Amino acid sequence: MNVRPLPVLLAFLVTAGLLFGGYFFYQAYAVHQPLASGIAGLEGVAGASLETERGLITIRLRLGGDADLMRVYRQAAQLAAERGHGRDAVITLDADASPELEAVWQDLLFDLAEAMDHRRYSDIPRLMDLAARRHPGVAAEAAMDECRVYVTLRKDGAALYKALPLRGDGMEAWANGAVR
């Protein structure tokens, strides 16, 4: 049997092109674009970027100063679950936090971590009030659902957002905000 290499090579290249082209087309138009447009349309989202990998979608949210953190976070997670085609989603929060808000967060962090570690969630509103009293002009808010505690610090148009897992094994990620 005499196999001609040129037709075999061309068939291989066309097949590989269709296979990989179809995969990238699927990623762009069936996963990335619907999810990106849905997240960009959420109220309070000033900007968003998505990275899709094999089994993971990383969503980086930049929220406006008046965003409702818990609502936006939950809506983004719901969109990722609906439009992510079974991929896990990691949501990271970026904010325009001033150095003063970072200092308030560092002041609040130990007491908040202790309250969460000891499952004294009813102490969290008291800690937010205490932070607002210690730092004049700072508005400190907290909300909670079955998975996370959402902390928002605001002052003079700047905001700092944190979504903290209720389970204590994610504390090392609190400084950067990346929690699964």
Side-chain angles (χ1 to χ4, degrees):
M1 183 165 143
N2 188 9
V3 177
R4 294 185 297 178
L6 185 60
V8 170
L9 180 64
L10 286 175
F12 174 75
L13 290 175
V14 167
T15 303
L18 287 173
L19 179 67
F20 290 114
Y23 173 76
F24 288 115
F25 181 82
Y26 171 78
Q27 287 294 319
Y29 291 102
V31 177
H32 193 273
Q33 188 177 30
L35 185 56
S37 65
I39 289 176
L42 294 177
E43 184 180 340
V45 174
S49 65
L50 276 73
E51 294 177 20
T52 54
E53 297 175 22
R54 186 176 192 149
L56 181 69
I57 298 172
T58 303
I59 303 168
R60 183 174 292 278
L61 294 176
R62 191 170 49 85
L63 303 179
D66 60 341
D68 179 355
L69 175 60
M70 185 170 86
R71 184 183 52 74
V72 170
Y73 195 98
R74 291 177 77 172
Q75 288 176 343
Q78 182 180 357
L79 281 171
E82 291 171 357
R83 300 179 186 180
H85 300 280
R87 291 177 176 87
D88 290 331
V90 174
I91 299 174
T92 304
L93 302 170
D94 290 339
D96 298 325
S98 65
E100 183 177 1
L101 288 178
E102 290 290 345
V104 173
W105 172 246
Q106 291 303 317
D107 185 42
L108 179 65
L109 183 59
F110 181 79
D111 293 332
L112 184 62
E114 182 179 38
M116 290 180 65
D117 190 46
H118 294 290
R119 301 192 191 293
R120 293 190 319 249
Y121 303 116
S122 61
D123 288 351
I124 295 173
R126 181 186 55 79
L127 292 172
M128 296 297 115
D129 291 339
L130 183 62
R133 282 197 307 267
R134 281 186 192 164
H135 304 277
V138 172
E141 304 169 7
M144 184 174 148
D145 64 12
E146 64 278 357
C147 299
R148 289 178 182 76
V149 172
Y150 304 92
V151 177
T152 303
L153 302 174
R154 291 186 176 96
K155 182 173 183 180
D156 299 331
L160 183 136
Y161 300 103
K162 298 289 181 180
L164 311 172
L166 286 181
R167 61 186 202 289
D169 61 343
M171 286 188 193
E172 70 277 356
W174 285 15
N176 296 328
V179 269
R180 291 181 183 214

